[in-house]
Amino acid sequence: MLNALGFDVATFNAGWMYATLRGTEHLPPSVVDRRALTLLEQVANISEIQTVGQATHMCGEIYEQGRGVPADLHRARELYMQAVVRGSTASAWQLARLHDTGGCGRPSSTL
């Protein structure tokens, strides 16, 4: 574990590379997604680094899309909410989109 050695940014970068499929062509997609989620969750649980909101957001995307894990819109929504608190404007947009499209069991509103 990189973050156990104090390499929080390196852990985020490794998770980001897995999540964006950089240099992972030789691995099955399910392995890549599980590794990405594992690394990003480690970073998301650390509040000392600047990228924690982005890591939390990326975990939400993985759960929303069901990449390497069963799709779970409720978990994605929770992670997006945590990421907003941690400064992720992208997560605010994702929450609005989920609400607008009726994600997480919420009916979409009609104008």
Side-chain angles (χ1 to χ4, degrees):
M1 274 191 197
L2 292 172
N3 67 332
L5 300 172
F7 297 111
D8 303 331
V9 174
T11 303
F12 171 78
N13 288 338
W16 178 84
M17 289 183 72
Y18 278 113
T20 58
L21 307 176
R22 305 268 195 302
T24 61
E25 299 82 16
H26 62 287
L27 296 170
S30 61
V31 170
V32 171
D33 293 329
R34 281 194 302 271
R35 286 185 184 174
L37 186 60
T38 298
L39 291 166
L40 292 169
E41 283 178 333
Q42 289 173 14
V43 175
N45 291 322
I46 302 167
S47 61
E48 292 87 23
I49 64 170
Q50 183 178 6
T51 55
V52 72
Q54 187 176 357
T56 306
H57 172 83
M58 293 175 81
C59 290
E61 287 180 329
I62 290 171
Y63 275 102
E64 181 181 356
Q65 298 165 10
R67 294 176 35 207
V69 295
D72 186 342
L73 292 179
H74 291 286
R75 179 69 179 135
R77 183 174 174 265
E78 289 172 1
L79 288 164
Y80 289 146
M81 288 171 51
Q82 290 174 16
V84 167
V85 170
R86 296 170 173 176
S88 172
T89 56
S91 288
W93 184 86
Q94 291 291 69
L95 283 169
R97 183 187 53 75
L98 279 176
H99 179 75
D100 189 49
T101 61
C104 299
R106 297 176 184 262
S108 60
S109 59
T110 56
L111 297 175

